[in-house]
């Protein structure tokens, strides 16, 4: 194989580069939007999940008791529904999404109350907080196992109120707050509760912490322990009856009715740099940078002229010698002094070439040469320009006139 033989054809190399670039870009996008893709193509909303941590049983229970139990994906539609809305945020849900949805429902409630206070619904909202880390069992994607409790700080951040804290304790008896009456639940082994100045307990544990709390005077409620309403809990008839009674108590105008939110599940997910670069308004800048990179690659691949080889530190040949002399002359600042010497050499050469008398003085030689021709200018004028040039450009122009004068004479 010769030294100039290429290992790949040019077309093969182009295909490899383009394919590698596209695959790298796809890997970056999949990594940045993995949470969104997993929700869109993988896991189901919590209200549709049939494993123990889901709420499919509660939705079916509401539906079969005549309450509806519809699953709503559009947050605008959910905000406009007057019946009880059940929100089931996950640990990766953005707290801003929950707060925005609650505020939208409260705004609809205020508007409906201003229009018709008697017939409009109260737009109550129940936020069921997450509690467990779960993981799918090997080769059994529809079954999950609990792998630990969630961080209390992350769970508390999902409550649209300030200074909220989440606690976990052993199984305790729960009791209703004054003015409320709930059917008893079978308490889970570890009971989760919330505390905070903005929370009004509705269902308490023995220590007074809220298992079910109302946020201020609004119609938004927070259930701290999902093990009272999820699929694992509702396999017990006592919990199923208590769940229906709880939903009816929170929404007396539509007792037993409820709609389940899926917009939090299909939301944008966590923010990261990849999403920032590939979503408006920065998408235009990203596309511009990609286009610039493609153009730079094309400019590199398509050469303009032969490949530039490394030059010798000291060039060889007469042309290199002349270039070096010119560079040294220019560097020493003596370029203009060469004009008079060049005029003398040119005149002596013409005297020998034209076989003029050697005893002629400078004026006589110039007079004889002026008689030979005045194209592009009389010789004496060109000689004067060479000797009196003040800039390098004037000197070069005079030298070119002298060369043109010799060509016209020939």
């Amino acid at each position: 194989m010769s030294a100039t033989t290429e290992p790949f054809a040019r077309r093969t190399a182009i295909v490899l580069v383009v394919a590698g670039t596209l695959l790298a870009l796809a890997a970056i996008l999949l990594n940045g939007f993995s949470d969104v893709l997993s929700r869109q193509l993988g896991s189901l909303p919590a209200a549709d999940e049939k494993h123990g941590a889901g709420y499919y049983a509660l939705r079916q229970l509401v539906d079969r008791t005549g309450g509806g139990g519809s699953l709503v994906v559009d947050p605008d539609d959910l905000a406009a529904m007057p019946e009880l809305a059940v929100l089931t945020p996950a640990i990766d849900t953005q707290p801003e999404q929950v707060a925005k949805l609650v505020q939208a429902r409260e705004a609809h409630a205020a508007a409906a109350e201003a229009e018709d206070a008697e017939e409009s619904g109260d737009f109550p909202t129940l936020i069921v907080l997450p509690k467990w880390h779960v993981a799918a069992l090997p080769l059994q994607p529809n079954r999950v196992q609990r792998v630990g409790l969630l961080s209390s700080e992350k769970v508390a951040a999902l409550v649209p109120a300030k200074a909220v804290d989440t606690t976990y304790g052993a199984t305790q008896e729960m009791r209703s707050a004054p003015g409320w009456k709930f059917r008893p639940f079978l308490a889970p082994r570890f009971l989760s509760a919330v505390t905070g100045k903005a929370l009004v307990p509705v269902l308490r544990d023995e220590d007074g912490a809220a298992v079910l709390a109302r946020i201020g005077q609004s119609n938004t409620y927070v259930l701290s322990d999902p093990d009272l309403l999820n699929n694992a809990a509702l396999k017990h008839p006592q919990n199923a009856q208590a769940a229906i009674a709880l939903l009816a108590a929170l929404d007396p105008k539509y007792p037993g009715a409820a709609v389940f939110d899926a917009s939090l599940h299909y939301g944008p997910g966590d923010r990261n740099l990849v999403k920032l670069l590939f979503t408006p308004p920065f998408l235009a800048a990203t596309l511009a940078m990609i286009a610039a990179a493609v153009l730079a690659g094309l400019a590199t691949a398509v050469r303009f002229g032969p490949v530039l080889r490394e030059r010798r530190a000291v060039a060889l040949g007469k042309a290199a010698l002349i270039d070096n002399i010119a560079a040294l002359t220019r560097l020493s600042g003596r370029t203009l002094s060469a004009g008079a010497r060049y005029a003398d050499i040119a005149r002596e050469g013409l005297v020998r070439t034209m076989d003029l008398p050697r005893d002629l003085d400078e004026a006589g030689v110039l007079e004889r040469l002026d008689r030979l021709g005045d194209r592009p200018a009389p010789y004496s004028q060109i000689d004067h320009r060479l000797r009196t040039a003040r800039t390098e450009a004037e000197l070069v122009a005079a030298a070119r006139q002298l060369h043109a004068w010799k060509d016209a004479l020939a």
Side-chain angles (χ1 to χ4, degrees):
M1 180 183 292
S2 63
T4 59
T5 302
E6 297 180 355
F8 297 102
R10 176 171 297 183
R11 180 179 299 176
T12 304
I14 293 175
V15 170
L16 290 176
V17 170
V18 173
T21 303
L22 293 178
L23 290 175
L25 183 60
I28 293 174
L29 291 175
L30 289 175
N31 182 62
F33 291 88
S34 59
D35 54 344
V36 178
L37 292 176
S38 65
R39 289 194 294 270
Q40 296 285 349
L41 305 176
S43 62
L44 297 173
D48 256 356
E49 289 286 7
K50 298 182 180 180
H51 53 68
Y55 300 93
Y56 180 79
L58 178 62
R59 193 160 73 88
Q60 292 298 310
L61 181 63
V62 172
D63 185 44
R64 294 182 183 183
T65 55
S70 60
L71 188 67
V72 183
V73 177
D74 191 339
D76 294 332
D77 293 342
L78 184 70
M81 292 182 174
E83 55 266 47
L84 175 67
V86 180
L87 311 185
T88 53
I91 193 59
D92 57 351
T93 301
Q94 297 181 16
E96 296 80 7
Q97 292 178 261
V98 179
K100 183 178 180 181
L101 195 54
V102 169
Q103 291 171 2
R105 287 185 58 80
E106 291 178 352
H108 277 80
E113 184 177 1
E115 293 178 1
D116 191 343
E118 295 183 357
E119 297 182 2
S120 63
D122 294 330
F123 291 80
T125 304
L126 175 62
I127 304 173
V128 183
L129 297 178
K131 180 179 178 181
W132 298 98
H133 278 295
V134 295
L137 292 174
L139 304 179
Q140 301 182 64
N142 294 327
R143 299 185 63 187
V144 298
Q145 61 181 348
R146 296 171 177 175
V147 294
L149 293 170
L150 296 174
S151 168
S152 58
E153 291 79 7
K154 291 185 177 180
V155 174
L158 296 173
V159 181
K162 296 181 179 179
V164 175
D165 189 23
T166 303
T167 59
Y168 299 105
T171 302
Q172 301 177 14
E173 181 182 354
M174 294 177 290
R175 60 182 184 273
S176 305
W180 296 86
K181 185 64 177 179
F182 297 102
R183 297 178 66 94
F185 285 89
L186 292 176
R189 182 178 179 184
F190 291 99
L191 186 64
S192 174
V194 289
T195 58
K197 294 182 179 180
L199 301 181
V200 179
V202 176
L203 185 63
R204 302 178 180 179
D205 61 15
E206 291 182 351
D207 296 330
V211 178
L212 177 65
R214 185 176 185 175
I215 301 178
Q217 299 300 317
S218 68
N219 286 326
T220 302
Y221 301 87
V222 178
L223 181 65
S224 61
D225 201 311
D227 288 340
L228 301 179
L229 296 181
N230 58 23
N231 297 333
L234 296 189
K235 67 182 180 180
H236 302 287
Q238 180 179 341
N239 283 345
Q241 295 173 1
I244 290 297
L246 184 146
L247 298 182
L250 297 183
D251 190 10
K253 291 189 176 181
Y254 298 94
V259 291
F260 294 83
D261 168 70
S263 65
L264 298 178
H265 176 83
Y266 294 112
D270 295 332
R271 297 180 63 185
N272 56 57
L273 183 59
V274 174
K275 288 183 181 179
L276 186 65
L277 290 176
F278 288 93
T279 52
F282 297 101
L283 178 60
T286 303
L287 294 177
M289 289 189 292
I290 293 176
V294 171
L295 292 177
L298 292 176
T300 304
V302 182
R303 298 182 182 276
F304 295 91
V307 180
L308 294 178
R309 304 297 182 184
E310 185 178 357
R311 296 184 178 181
R312 292 174 53 90
V314 179
L316 301 177
K318 296 180 181 179
L321 181 60
I322 294 174
D323 290 340
N324 291 336
I325 293 174
L328 290 174
T329 304
R330 185 178 293 108
L331 185 62
S332 62
R334 300 185 62 82
T335 305
L336 299 180
S337 63
R341 182 56 182 161
Y342 181 65
D344 292 339
I345 294 174
R347 187 181 59 192
E348 291 174 1
L350 288 173
V351 168
R352 291 194 299 270
T353 303
M354 306 302 298
D355 196 20
L356 298 178
R358 298 299 182 90
D359 56 351
L360 289 176
D361 57 4
E362 180 180 347
V365 173
L366 294 177
E367 182 181 357
R368 288 288 186 93
L369 294 176
D370 285 343
R371 294 176 184 175
L372 297 177
D374 56 357
R375 296 179 183 179
Y379 185 84
S380 59
Q381 183 177 352
I382 299 173
D383 183 85
H384 178 72
R385 290 179 179 175
L386 283 172
R387 298 177 186 276
T388 59
R390 295 183 178 181
T391 63
E392 187 174 340
E394 293 180 0
L395 182 61
V396 172
R400 287 178 176 174
Q401 281 189 333
L402 177 59
H403 183 73
W405 187 91
K406 290 180 180 180
D407 288 344
L409 184 64

